Amino acid sequence: MIPGAPPIRYRGYVTTPLQFTQAFWNNPHPVYAQLREESPVRPVTLPNGMEIWLVTRYADCRAALADPRLSKRQGAGDNARSLAQPVRSPLTRHLLANDPPDHTRLRRLVSREFTARRVEALRPRVGELSAALIASLRERGASADLVEDYAVHLPIQVICELLGVPIEDQADFRRWTSVMVSASASAGGAGVPEAAAAFVGYLLGLIGRKRAAPAGDLLSALIATRDEGDRLDEDELTSMAFLLLLAGHETTVNLIGSGMYTLLTRPDVRRSLEADPALVPAAVEEFLRLESPVETATSRTATEPVTYGGVTIPAGAMVAISLLAADRDPERFPEPDAFDLGRPDNQHLAFGYGIHYCLGAPLARLEAQIAFTDLLAAFPGMALAVPADRVDWRPGTLIRGPVALPVTL
Ligand code: HEM
């Protein structure tokens, strides 16, 4: 049992409340280890009040991610229920809020843009963007916040260029998406309806401008798809733009942040990569496995009773799949807490599994590999400017990564 937490009764099950304090966000691993060991499939109450079944063992998580009896449709976005209909529809008709056959149709429309080959062609441009960010870090002088001054910018610039979203607008949509992804950390999802309404207004304006003056970007291509046939309706178009913009920049920032945290606190790992940069891709997989930037997959709803590890989740219940807990399961990964550059068969779940497997995985890997290679090469003397235990991690069960990473360069 978690120390100090009295058992509570929840619909007939004895459950221990997870204590969502900053100490938990900073190091949730011991709590997840205990859950995996003692009650790997159990109901919990999230900080936003949502009651949900939490799955923590690798085998169960992988089975749940691929289970067609767990629907994305009824979950329709964890914060979506607080939204008024005119805002809700244009934000909740995307890939992560759909089951087949709609999911299959929507995914086919965008998947060709994100194949490993298409993404590899972006390497020179991502390299240029990274080099410019490194140059501006140098101009800053002796110190910087690696999250705010580098990690945030690379993914956001890449996804904006890909979609054709003006980079000058980033302050606005970063504010809105940050409220929306942090909603799992607070009671009632404070600020979500306002942020969502502002985002929808922005997207509708942008789509209108692109429709009037199409360019060679992904958003213009999706608008043409919409306007030429019946394969994408207006809400699906807005929702797709919303999901790509959100997923394109709220995730990779945390991979770069948590990976740099590891490198700055583990001189042995850093020395290995400095000695042999060809190890960077293997390091990225370990960063993903150890500090899954998407801590918990987006919620699903059981359409019928489902049983994992001998525990039955009733029909109608919401299900949360802990990618962070799964990827440190000793049943799947020997010495799961160790950083191992030679780990064989590193099939972690950080990008999910099954039909909703991350569309942007090749892009995220490319951005991260370039980021770590460039940062290590540019700043061999870089060090954390605060003690490691003073680095706070983002609150909330959806996204995991350091809030800020103050360094001396
Ligand atoms: C390190 C960075 C990233 C991580 C860890 C990550 C993780 C994930 C995970 C775990 C899922 C599945 C969620 C679920 O099943 O509930 C997912 C889906 C998705 N991701 Fe990523 N992602 C990352 C970067 C990106 C990028 C850069 C893009 C942008 C292009 C992107 C676009 C998507 C989309 C569109 C889906 C939905 C796919 C579907 O439902 O078919 N992701 N991602």
Side-chain angles (χ1 to χ4, degrees), residues 65 72 95-97 103 107 114 159 162 243-244 247-249 251-253 255 288 292-294 296-300 323 349-353 355-361 363-365 367:
L65 285 166
K72 296 295 298 159
L95 290 166
L96 280 174
H103 172 269
R107 179 128 181 165
F114 291 93
I159 198 69
L162 211 64
L243 179 66
L244 290 174
H249 82 273
T251 48
T252 316
V253 49
L255 170 57
L288 283 161
S292 191
V294 174
T296 315
T298 55
S299 60
R300 285 141 166 87
L323 308 177
L349 298 179
F351 288 123
Y353 182 73
I355 62 166
H356 294 285
Y357 181 81
C358 180
L359 179 75
L363 182 59
R365 285 186 164 119
E367 290 172 357

Side-chain angles (χ1 to χ4, degrees), residues 157-320:
Q157 288 177 2
V158 172
I159 198 69
C160 280
E161 283 197 6
L162 211 64
L163 274 172
V165 171
I167 190 69
E168 311 80 74
D169 300 342
Q170 64 163 307
D172 283 337
F173 59 74
R174 266 184 69 195
R175 202 170 57 246
W176 302 323
T177 56
S178 144
V179 169
M180 294 167 89
V181 301
S182 305
S184 66
S186 59
V192 171
E194 297 77 11
F199 208 162
V200 168
Y202 172 77
L203 289 171
L204 290 174
L206 183 65
I207 288 169
R209 288 197 298 282
K210 292 262 171 216
R211 194 166 258 145
D217 51 52
L218 179 54
L219 193 50
S220 299
L222 289 171
I223 292 168
T225 304
R226 152 82 188 117
D227 292 350
E228 283 162 14
D230 59 356
R231 291 185 302 160
L232 194 67
D233 73 25
E234 198 71 18
D235 284 343
E236 288 172 341
L237 173 62
T238 327
S239 294
M240 182 81 87
F242 164 71
L243 179 66
L244 290 174
L245 200 47
L246 180 111
H249 82 273
E250 277 288 356
T251 48
T252 316
V253 49
N254 299 296
L255 170 57
I256 299 174
S258 66
M260 285 312 294
Y261 175 86
T262 304
L263 291 174
L264 292 166
T265 52
R266 295 284 307 267
D268 53 330
V269 178
R270 181 167 167 181
R271 271 194 303 273
S272 303
L273 298 194
E274 281 169 344
D276 184 2
L279 291 172
V280 167
V284 168
E285 300 310 308
E286 278 293 80
F287 296 147
L288 283 161
R289 186 185 65 80
L290 284 162
E291 298 294 359
S292 191
V294 174
E295 180 168 334
T296 315
T298 55
S299 60
R300 285 141 166 87
T301 307
T303 55
E304 57 183 89
V306 286
T307 303
Y308 305 115
V311 180
T312 299
I313 299 175
M318 304 279 281
V319 181

Side-chain angles (χ1 to χ4, degrees), residues 25-42:
W25 307 125
N26 287 357
N27 182 14
H29 303 298
V31 173
Y32 282 127
Q34 200 164 5
L35 287 172
R36 239 179 3 238
E37 186 70 22
E38 292 176 2
S39 46
V41 180
R42 71 177 310 155

